[in-house]
């Protein structure tokens, strides 16, 4: 029985229309339900998180102020009249100075080292201790003290000291609850990453969930309630708080939104179904009318026609049907008349078939003659004195002439159905036979010097090989090969061409070495040229600095396969062997080098180590390894390259040293400016780091990145000409003071003008406060567009200003700073620089946070 659905067009049409009307609705509904629900949930969570985090920032700022006050107490103590005493009170706070050389100082040093080892930290300059704390009762009273020790250095004597400040636990609890504003469910105070005090209104919440998820927020469900927990604090004082708040109302809002959205989608779906059914019925009516007319004609009513009532597309179909019916009626009458004509044509076809039979007999005779010609051709090929063969597309030999017996001692039958690489032992240029086989598949080879193995002996036949590919219907069917014995004249000509090529590449190496002063680029170019000239499977270049040997760069076909590589001998012994032997040549690669892929050891047949000497001192070394043996000519060329490279490497190392000294000088200038204002300490360093990240993200040249780094260090050098009382003023500046501050870019330009710095550095110093819309200052400078260098420094300067504490504002989270950059992109900030730093933030925000949190 036929399926009614398959025999009814109207039903199929209705289903199709329902599907194509409902599918977008439901697909969009599902997508929107998931996507919008996730977006709404994420928006609620982040909104709640930012509000929660901003409240806890009050605690962070309180801790930061206690830290800064402790540092200030120490510095001001040595400037006071009581500098020889060890204790004091400043602004109502008790502090104590523990000087270097005292027994208490030595005990604190031991505690600090132990803390660094336990926490896997290096260079931490502070530690925290808890005194009079009863862990069993968890009582927060006035007996419980938190001592904070910060290590600093007295400028007049150069000796270190610890400044000791105390914080009462009750005072800390008050600061926590003031920051949380009584909206917390629970909170836990950690000191030295250990629980000190807990206040729980909801016992189901574990403070360690927030503790281990300290970089973001954590959510916890308990019954029908939802809680959010975050972790904040001060790493220097090592005091942190894990707190939870109830955000059940936000979750219920999301659930309500999901229910309403589902109902709307279902209503839209029902409307789509009823509309599809109605339209399917309307569309099917003309088709049903056409179907009835066709059935009438099939039943013998040839004169049946459809009444055309309207001139739309179906009216045109009806007219075409009527016209077709008239044609078929006429054809039916003609078909009867054509029957007699077809009978006559059939007789003619029988006569033609007889003629074709005779032609086939003539063709068979011609094929017999062709076979005779083929036999004569094979006899001719077998008598040719050179080696001729054919292979299939896989390199399997299908035919070889009889010269194989004369040249190699094999019978022709021993070659058939064997791979050609079984008889080609090696190539004159040192390439592998497998590579030669791959090349045959894609190119026709000409005059390739190869060695064929002779039967029953180690002797080899040196021959010149050519190949030709044969295609059928664009598909490789076979490969024809031809090899002839190489004469002495050809060998002389071949060697002359090779030496000319070696001299040409050696000249190119000389030019590269003479015109490259960047050490990394230089070592990379040297490796590339050695690969081009000697074709080693592994090539490496190493540098010797301060008596230590290190591998700088590697290349060759084995380079991607070796994994890690290192020296297996100590640097002193390795350098001594280079000095005594001058050239090390061996087949045991692992005597000097270790690689993670040990299969490379078996592949390497020989390696050579050659020292790089300049001014009677070894400054580096070359190493080349291969699956073949190096010739004396190869070693001679390598020595020439080594002599040239030693001079170039020494020049590059000198340039690198001069550049580092130049940058250090610039950093000293910037430090001198920042010493006038404690709030901007390290500002130029951080701006330089931010700017360097942005320039590298924009994929500019190494030279431009270096110029941007220098410009970031020097951008505020002009502040050395601004009065200290203006730079260190707390609060808002007056109009006159603000105008004075606006002069620092011009002052910086005047200070650095005699140095003849590059244009990008000058742009960063002079125009870093110029906006992309050309507002800002200096106001008296007219430019058509903001240079990219100035735009990069401007963005970097703004990030550090927002993310650090100033005399006129508190530090903001990095996320807030990024929103400001995105908001003012194209107005205040150069769009290319803004896009670059936003991309860095999205891909790896930790890079920016490391600069912000780095201690200078």
């Amino acid at each position: 029985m036929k399926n009614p659905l398959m025999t009814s067009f109207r039903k199929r049409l209705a289903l199709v229309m329902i599907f194509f009307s409902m599918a977008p609705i439901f697909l969009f509904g599902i997508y929107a339900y998931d996507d919008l629900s996730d977006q709404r949930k994420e928006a609620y969570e982040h909104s709640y998180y930012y509000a929660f985090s901003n409240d806890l920032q009050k605690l962070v700022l309180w801790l930061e102020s206690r830290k800064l006050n402790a540092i200030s107490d120490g510095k001001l103590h040595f400037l006071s009249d009581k500098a020889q005493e060890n204790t004091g009170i400043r602004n109502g706070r008790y502090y104590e100075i523990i000087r270097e050389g005292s027994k208490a100082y030595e005990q604190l040093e031991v505690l600090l080292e132990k803390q660094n080892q336990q926490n896997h930290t290096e260079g931490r300059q502070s530690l925290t201790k808890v005194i009079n704390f009863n862990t069993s009762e968890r009582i927060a009273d006035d007996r419980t003290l938190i001592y904070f020790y910060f290590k600093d250095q007295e400028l007049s004597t150069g000796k270190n000291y610890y400044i000791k400040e105390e914080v009462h636990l009750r005072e800390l609890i008050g600061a926590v609850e003031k920051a949380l504003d009584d909206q917390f469910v629970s909170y836990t105070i950690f000191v030295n990453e250990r629980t000190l005090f807990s206040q729980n209104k909801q016992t189901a919440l574990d403070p360690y969930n927030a503790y281990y998820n300290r970089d973001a927020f954590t959510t916890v469900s308990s019954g029908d309630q939802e809680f959010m927990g975050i972790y904040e604090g001060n790493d220097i004082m090592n005091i942190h708080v894990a707190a939870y708040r109830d955000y059940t109302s936000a979750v219920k809002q999301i659930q309500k939104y999901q229910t309403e959205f589902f109902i709307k989608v279902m209503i839209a779906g029902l409307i789509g179904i009823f509309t599809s059914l109605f339209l399917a019925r309307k569309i099917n009516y003309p088709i049903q009318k056409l179907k009835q007319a066709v059935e009438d004609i099939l039943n013998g009513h040839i004169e049946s026609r459809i009444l055309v009532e309207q001139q739309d597309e179906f009216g045109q179909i009806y007219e075409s049907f009527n016209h077709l019916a008239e044609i078929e009626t006429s054809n039916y009458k003609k078909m009867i008349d054509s029957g007699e004509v077809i009978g006559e044509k059939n007789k003619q076809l029988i006569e033609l078939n007889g003629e074709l039979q005779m032609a086939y007999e003539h063709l068979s005779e011609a094929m017999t003659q062709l076979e005779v010609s083929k036999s004569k051709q094979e006899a001719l090929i077998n008598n040719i004195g050179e080696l001729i063969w054919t292979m299939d597309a896989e390199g399997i030999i299908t035919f070889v002439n009889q010269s194989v017996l004369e040249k190699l001692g094999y019978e022709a039958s021993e070659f058939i159905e064997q791979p050609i690489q079984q008889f080609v032992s090696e190539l004159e240029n040192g390439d592998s036979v497998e590579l030669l086989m791959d090349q045959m598949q894609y190119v026709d080879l000409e005059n390739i010097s190869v060695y064929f193995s002779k039967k029953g002996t180690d002797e080899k036949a040196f021959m010149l090989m050519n190949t030709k590919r044969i295609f059928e219907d664009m598909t490789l069917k076979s490969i024809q090969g031809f090899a002839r014995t190489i004469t002495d004249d050809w060998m002389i000509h071949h060697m002359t061409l090779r030496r000319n090529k070696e001299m040409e590449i050696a000249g190119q190496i000389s030019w590269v070495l003479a015109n490259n002063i960047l050490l990394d680029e230089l070592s990379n170019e040297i490796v590339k040229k050695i690969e081009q000239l000697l074709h080693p499977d592994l090539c490496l270049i190493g540098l010797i600095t301060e008596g230590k040997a290190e591998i700088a760069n590697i290349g060759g076909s084995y380079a991607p396969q070796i994994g890690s590589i290192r020296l297996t001998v100590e640097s002193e012994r390795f350098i001594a062997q280079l000095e005594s032997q001058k050239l090390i040549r061996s087949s045991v690669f692992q005597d000097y080098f270790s690689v993670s892929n040990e299969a490379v050891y078996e592949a390497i047949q020989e390696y050579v180590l050659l020292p790089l000497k300049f001014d009677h001192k070894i400054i580096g070394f070359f190493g080349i390894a291969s699956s073949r043996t190096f010739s004396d000519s190869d070693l001679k060329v390598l020595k020439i390259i080594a002599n040239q490279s030693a001079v170039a490497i020494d020049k590059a190392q000198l340039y690198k040293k001069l550049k580092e000294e130049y940058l250090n000088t610039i950093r000293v200038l910037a430090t001198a400016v920042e010493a006038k204002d404690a709030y901007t300490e390290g500002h130029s360093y951080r701006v330089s780091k931010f700017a360097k990240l942005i320039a590298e993200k924009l994929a500019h040249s190494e030279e431009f990145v270096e110029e941007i780094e220098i410009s970031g260090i020097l951008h505020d050098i002009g502040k050395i000409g601004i009065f200290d009382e203006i730079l260190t003023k707390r609060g808002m500046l007056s109009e006159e003071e603000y105008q004075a501050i606006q002069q620092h870019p011009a002052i910086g330009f005047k200070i650095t003008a005699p140095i003849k710095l590059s244009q990008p550095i000058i742009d960063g110093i002079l125009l870093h406060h110029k906006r992309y819309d050309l507002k800002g200052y200096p106001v008296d400078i007219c430019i058509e567009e903001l240079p990219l260098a100035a735009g990069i420094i401007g963005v970097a300067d703004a990030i550090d200003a927002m993310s650090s504490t100033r005399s006129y504002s508190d530090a903001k989270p990095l996320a807030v700073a990024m929103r400001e950059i995105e908001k003012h992109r194209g107005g205040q900030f150069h769009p290319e620089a803004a896009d670059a730093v936003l991309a860095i933030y999205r891909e790896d925000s930790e890079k920016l946070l490391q600069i912000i949190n780095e201690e200078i």
Side-chain angles (χ1 to χ4, degrees), residues 133 358 443 526 610 668 806:
F133 180 63
M358 293 179 62
V443 295
I526 292 173
L610 189 68
V668 170
R806 299 296 180 90

Side-chain angles (χ1 to χ4, degrees), residues 813-825:
L814 180 60
V816 175
M818 291 299 104
R819 287 199 297 272
E820 288 295 311
I821 297 294
E822 185 172 16
K823 178 180 178 182
H824 297 288
R825 175 192 177 278

Side-chain angles (χ1 to χ4, degrees), residues 558-570:
Y558 288 170
Q561 306 169 14
I562 63 173
S564 61
I565 181 171
R566 62 181 179 84
L567 282 170
T568 57
V569 295
E570 296 180 354

